[in-house]
Amino acid sequence: MSNKEKKTKPVIRKIIHVDMDAFFASVEQRDFPQYRNKPVAVGSPQKRGVVAAASYEARKYGVYSAMPSTRALFKCPDLIFAKPRFHVYKEVSTQINKIFREYTDLVEPLSLDEAYLDVTLNKKNMISATHIAQEIKEKIKSYTRLTASAGISVNKFLAKIASDMDKPDGLYVITPNKVHAFIQTLPIEKFFGVGKVTAKKMKGLGISTGADLLKKDIKELLDHFGKNGLYYYNIVRGNDNRPVQPSRVRKSIGAENTFQEDIVDESRLILYTEKIADEVWKRMSKSDTTGKTITLKVKYHDFLLNTHSTTLSQNLESIEELKIISKKLLAIRKFPDKAIRLLGISISNLNNGSTETGGVQLTLKF
């Protein structure tokens, strides 16, 4: 029998998703003994402040990241606010990434505190992805005195869900033979990419679990959810062929400012627009990137959100050009007399390139 006549067995990938436990808050509790075993929020307690991260002690009171600080304090009056130290979080993140790269170069950071690793092929020739994840967790704890949770499965979708199953300090494995049974029992809210609004819509269609979603054909899902319908159709069948990408292509660069008080005065809004543009240009220069599409984000005092965009025929060439365009976008906002609480500027349609990765083989032990 020739090689062409031989049936090729399907590739079984081994993907790990590592997620640090309450990362920012845990770093603060590690470095400051007075914060340990107490409800801590990283952020500002000011009226317009937002929680960037919450310790597990704070989460027991219902305090979570992205929550307004006033609401967090209402839920937990004893909440301690720690000022963010992003330079420290970045240093720790760098330490953790060095540990990842002891095992594989196929590391895709999603943020400072989480990453995907493809260990199908790995530098230590370890057969078990579960053992690799255990070693990584132990090294992170030894070197940083922080805990991480890890999920292991055959694709990115399942690995990410798995990492959240047994937090904190968790290790959860979805082996190939258990993929379909696991997905069918999964509540629809647990599906990565299904938010509150979509979950409510799905429940209105009789979809509460993966088993319910599996019963829907592709046409029905496309009719109700547009192009996302194809994504839901595939993931409920365990199909996710996205590679782990060591060089993720950045889609946009931006900055925004939430004001201490709502602003109506045009001259002040123009001044802030210029300051935000300065910050965006600084970030673009640091990334050695430019782009063609400029978007102005306007959030009003009642939290109504509008965006205004324009796309140039060629890339932005100067900070002056960015400021002029941003101010023009500000001038055409939908409600010129309505008080504004937040302004943001972002540049997309960037001139960076893409990187593809590959390199997997069939292995048996998971």
Side-chain angles (χ1 to χ4, degrees), residues 31-258:
D31 294 348
F32 298 98
Q34 64 268 34
Y35 294 160
R36 292 171 195 168
N37 303 315
K38 293 182 180 179
V40 174
V42 176
S44 169
Q46 295 179 359
K47 184 179 179 182
R48 294 300 178 89
V50 175
V51 174
S55 68
Y56 282 97
E57 293 86 355
R59 293 181 189 188
K60 291 177 182 177
Y61 292 87
V63 176
Y64 293 96
S65 60
M67 178 179 286
S69 298
T70 51
R71 182 166 175 75
L73 282 167
F74 176 78
K75 286 179 169 287
C76 180
D78 295 328
L79 187 64
I80 301 169
F81 276 91
K83 186 177 179 181
R85 298 182 299 148
F86 290 106
H87 67 287
V88 176
Y89 311 147
K90 191 171 182 179
E91 288 173 3
V92 177
S93 181
T94 299
Q95 281 183 286
I96 294 165
N97 272 277
K98 285 181 179 178
I99 295 171
F100 295 158
R101 294 182 190 281
E102 291 179 19
Y103 297 87
T104 177
D105 288 327
L106 294 181
V107 178
E108 181 181 340
L110 302 179
S111 60
L112 291 177
D113 62 343
E114 61 175 321
Y116 289 114
L117 291 75
D118 188 330
V119 296
T120 315
L121 293 173
N122 60 83
K123 294 177 180 179
K124 299 195 175 186
N125 295 318
M126 295 174 67
I127 296 174
S128 171
T130 304
H131 290 163
I132 292 175
Q134 287 173 329
E135 278 195 14
I136 287 173
K137 279 169 47 65
E138 288 168 5
K139 285 186 178 182
I140 288 173
K141 194 167 188 177
S142 175
Y143 294 152
T144 71
R145 293 184 289 123
L146 300 169
T147 63
S149 293
I152 306 101
S153 195
V154 298
N155 59 43
K156 291 164 81 170
F157 168 70
L158 288 166
K160 187 169 178 65
I161 290 176
S163 68
D164 198 43
M165 295 298 293
D166 195 24
K167 273 185 164 287
D169 200 15
L171 181 74
Y172 196 92
V173 186
I174 306 171
T175 54
N177 62 321
K178 294 182 180 178
V179 165
H180 295 292
F182 176 85
I183 293 175
Q184 289 191 48
T185 59
L186 197 67
I188 205 64
E189 296 90 347
K190 291 283 187 179
F191 277 70
F192 181 65
V194 176
K196 290 182 180 180
V197 174
T198 302
K200 184 177 180 181
K201 185 175 181 180
M202 284 189 172
K203 288 186 175 181
L205 297 169
I207 304 171
S208 296
T209 65
D212 299 327
L213 183 59
L214 190 63
K215 296 173 185 175
K216 304 297 180 181
D217 60 38
I218 184 65
K219 184 180 183 304
E220 186 175 1
L221 292 175
L222 288 172
D223 287 344
H224 287 288
F225 303 103
K227 64 181 181 181
N228 287 333
L230 179 61
Y231 168 72
Y232 302 140
Y233 180 85
N234 281 319
I235 60 171
V236 76
R237 288 163 174 78
N239 301 327
D240 179 11
N241 296 319
R242 292 173 299 158
V244 172
Q245 297 178 316
S247 298
R248 301 181 74 224
V249 178
R250 191 167 190 174
K251 294 183 178 180
S252 67
I253 293 177
E256 60 184 39
N257 191 337
T258 300

Side-chain angles (χ1 to χ4, degrees), residues 332-349:
I332 62 169
R333 65 187 183 276
K334 194 169 183 180
F335 304 106
D337 298 323
K338 206 169 185 178
I340 292 174
R341 65 177 280 119
L342 176 148
L343 281 178
I345 298 170
S346 63
I347 313 296
S348 55
N349 203 354

Side-chain angles (χ1 to χ4, degrees), residues 279-330:
E279 180 60 30
V280 173
W281 189 259
K282 186 190 302 180
R283 294 180 183 183
M284 288 176 63
S285 299
K286 188 175 181 180
S287 301
D288 194 23
T289 305
T290 184
K292 294 180 180 179
T293 301
I294 301 94
T295 301
L296 180 78
K297 175 181 175 182
V298 181
K299 185 180 285 186
Y300 296 96
H301 69 95
D302 55 2
F303 290 89
L304 180 67
L305 181 66
N306 284 140
T307 58
H308 310 278
S309 300
T310 187
T311 298
L312 308 176
S313 59
Q314 59 186 22
N315 291 319
L316 275 167
E317 294 184 350
S318 68
I319 177 59
E320 290 75 18
E321 185 181 16
L322 176 58
K323 287 183 178 181
I324 289 170
I325 294 168
S326 299
K327 285 186 283 189
K328 283 182 178 178
L329 293 173
L330 177 68

